[in-house]
Amino acid sequence: MAVHAVCETTNLRATHYAARIFDCVCDVDIDNGTLGYMDGLAKGYSHIYNFKAGAKEGAVVVLAHNPEWTEDTSRMTNQRKDKFFIPAGTPFRAFVVDAQDEFALSPEGFAGEPEVDKYVSIDTNGKLKIEGDTAPEGAVMVGKIMRKRQVGSTLVTGLRTYGYKRMMYMVKVETLA
């Protein structure tokens, strides 16, 4: 069973200062925290754009993020954050990413092993590629992993383990092309 990326958008300009949040749809399943760009209006929609994972020179960088929990009061359809993904064909939110924005991703949102003080860029699958100790030249987006922290916790008993914990890596966007 695949474990999916967890994303936190607390420190994006779009969540504080009314920057754009678009509606997008993708033709493949994606994780929250997938980075990409909009590629024209989706067929049959007047306001929902096609989302393409990865980066494209001259295109606006957006971060796919949809609420993990439904408002179903029975909680039968709710999903754990680390089991959540955005199914193909489902409209979702896409936050515009600006310079100096910060967002957090779990290790599943990275291509490679994330470490504090390493630079990252967007790979072809929309994950953050670890670049090393120096900023890469010519990347559409360059970010730096600023810190890591644990969210959640577990309680282990003789019968089972309750809850879950997850390491989150805060990425600050340094430059955008």
Side-chain angles (χ1 to χ4, degrees):
M1 179 167 58
V3 176
H4 299 280
V6 176
C7 179
E8 188 178 279
T9 58
T10 307
N11 291 324
L12 291 177
R13 187 170 293 168
T15 60
H16 289 286
Y17 303 109
R20 287 298 302 265
I21 300 173
F22 288 95
D23 293 323
C24 290
V25 67
C26 191
D27 56 359
V28 296
D29 295 347
I30 58 172
D31 285 354
N32 263 345
T34 300
L35 289 139
Y37 60 94
M38 296 173 297
D39 191 30
L41 284 171
K43 186 175 181 176
Y45 291 104
S46 62
H47 67 285
I48 298 178
Y49 294 86
N50 285 315
F51 177 87
K52 300 292 182 190
K56 180 179 174 185
E57 188 72 35
V60 174
V61 175
V62 293
L63 177 72
H65 191 270
N66 226 29
E68 293 87 355
W69 305 107
T70 66
E71 295 183 18
D72 176 17
T73 56
S74 70
R75 299 181 187 262
M76 295 300 290
T77 60
N78 287 348
Q79 299 183 46
R80 285 178 29 169
K81 285 186 175 188
D82 61 344
K83 305 293 184 202
F84 180 82
F85 66 96
I86 302 169
T90 303
F92 59 89
R93 297 176 184 161
F95 294 75
V96 171
V97 176
D98 289 308
Q100 306 307 308
D101 274 354
E102 294 181 6
F103 58 92
L105 283 175
S106 64
E108 296 80 16
F110 292 87
E113 189 64 36
E115 292 180 44
V116 175
D117 292 330
K118 299 292 184 188
Y119 286 93
V120 295
S121 65
I122 304 171
D123 77 356
T124 57
N125 297 319
K127 293 186 179 247
L128 289 177
K129 179 171 69 171
I130 308 299
E131 296 288 354
D133 294 328
T134 58
E137 297 284 328
V140 171
M141 185 201 91
V142 175
K144 187 173 184 181
I145 301 173
M146 303 302 290
R147 58 193 169 277
K148 75 175 184 177
R149 63 182 164 67
Q150 177 181 310
V151 295
S153 62
T154 58
L155 172 65
V156 180
T157 68
L159 295 175
R160 65 178 60 124
T161 301
Y162 297 92
Y164 68 102
K165 61 184 176 182
R166 164 94 40 224
M167 292 307 297
M168 298 294 285
Y169 293 86
M170 184 65 74
V171 176
K172 182 175 184 179
V173 178
E174 300 274 323
T175 60
L176 289 165

